[in-house]
Amino acid sequence: MEKQDLKILAQNLANPQGKKGVEIGEMMNDTNIGMTLESIQTLLIEDDEHILEIGHGNADHVKSILNKATNIKYTGIDISETMHNEAKRLNKHFEGQADFVLYEGKKLPFQDKTFAKIFTVNTVYFWEQPVEYLNEIYRVLKDNGTFVLTFGQRNFMEKLPFTQFDFKLYSNAEMEEIISKSHFKRMKISEREEQIKSKTSEETITRNYTILTIKK
């Protein structure tokens, strides 16, 4: 891919827009579904819990969350109007159980201690002030809640041609250090590996990623 095409891809991975954004959203759902389902599994969702997902994309995976237990409520939040609209369209049959919120990407528009479980997959690269944002997540998480943060490891991500454009990459140690500066006190690290189709070619590549289980 040409440099300009890679830049457009990077921009749409961060904030999908318009018709191209819908296509990118579908591709992201396909390539991230393994990470997403592993993250959902890690949450250990129980009956009657309210779940928040940060950066839901097209949210075609919401059914996998709602099927985990009974009387689950899901809220998805995203900065992309395109993904917000796609998520509502794809999940209209879950109205009342799943809702979607469009926001500006810095302050979470929820009251303190709202959610039992919070997760996010492949969004941390775009957080402008990660410690402050982690403290926002801490604020809206219940005291006995769980936050799952999933991201591609630096040594994998830096090989991808589009991550040179406005992606902030992290090793496990770098991410641990950032979390230690936030209000969160405990975390467990789990490393995973999977085979995925490249976003820029027909190749199959090996992705190394990390799931952090974080507690107050």
Side-chain angles (χ1 to χ4, degrees), residues 43-79:
L43 286 173
L44 301 176
I45 294 170
E46 297 179 11
D47 294 349
D48 305 312
E49 289 186 328
H50 192 176
I51 314 299
L52 173 66
E53 180 177 12
I54 298 169
H56 53 67
N58 72 7
D60 200 24
H61 55 274
V62 166
K63 56 186 174 291
S64 300
I65 297 170
L66 300 178
N67 289 338
K68 284 291 179 187
T70 60
N71 199 32
I72 296 300
K73 181 169 173 53
Y74 167 94
T75 297
I77 191 166
D78 210 295
I79 61 171

Side-chain angles (χ1 to χ4, degrees), residues 43-202:
L43 286 173
L44 301 176
I45 294 170
E46 297 179 11
D47 294 349
D48 305 312
E49 289 186 328
H50 192 176
I51 314 299
L52 173 66
E53 180 177 12
I54 298 169
H56 53 67
N58 72 7
D60 200 24
H61 55 274
V62 166
K63 56 186 174 291
S64 300
I65 297 170
L66 300 178
N67 289 338
K68 284 291 179 187
T70 60
N71 199 32
I72 296 300
K73 181 169 173 53
Y74 167 94
T75 297
I77 191 166
D78 210 295
I79 61 171
S80 165
E81 187 173 359
T82 298
M83 291 298 94
H84 175 72
N85 291 333
E86 273 294 280
K88 288 199 294 185
R89 183 182 70 81
L90 291 172
N91 293 282
K92 57 181 179 288
H93 45 295
F94 295 128
E95 201 170 336
Q97 249 191 307
D99 62 20
F100 298 93
V101 177
L102 187 65
Y103 83 129
E104 41 64 49
K106 294 178 182 175
K107 295 289 184 184
L108 295 172
F110 308 109
Q111 293 186 348
D112 296 358
K113 302 178 182 179
T114 298
F115 301 99
K117 306 280 168 68
I118 301 175
F119 78 107
T120 190
V121 177
N122 285 334
T123 69
V124 71
Y125 328 116
F126 312 115
W127 296 359
E128 292 180 19
Q129 296 180 303
V131 174
E132 288 82 350
Y133 197 71
L134 283 165
N135 287 338
E136 269 292 281
I137 294 168
Y138 182 98
R139 180 182 65 78
V140 303
L141 182 66
K142 291 183 176 181
D143 286 338
N144 60 346
T146 300
F147 169 46
V148 168
L149 171 60
T150 303
F151 64 99
Q153 295 169 7
R154 174 194 279 277
N155 61 1
F156 163 76
M157 295 291 292
E158 62 191 6
K159 297 172 187 172
L160 304 176
F162 50 83
T163 57
Q164 63 185 294
F165 302 105
D166 300 320
F167 277 66
K168 171 66 175 167
L169 306 180
Y170 300 94
S171 66
N172 286 351
E174 289 165 333
M175 185 55 63
E176 280 186 85
E177 184 179 356
I178 285 172
I179 292 167
S180 73
K181 293 176 181 176
S182 76
H183 297 324
F184 283 107
K185 296 293 186 286
R186 295 178 289 148
M187 79 184 94
K188 184 178 79 173
I189 296 176
S190 177
E191 296 188 66
R192 308 289 171 87
E193 186 178 284
E194 65 176 353
Q195 302 296 311
I196 59 165
K197 184 180 174 184
S198 168
K199 290 182 175 68
T200 55
S201 71
E202 295 301 313

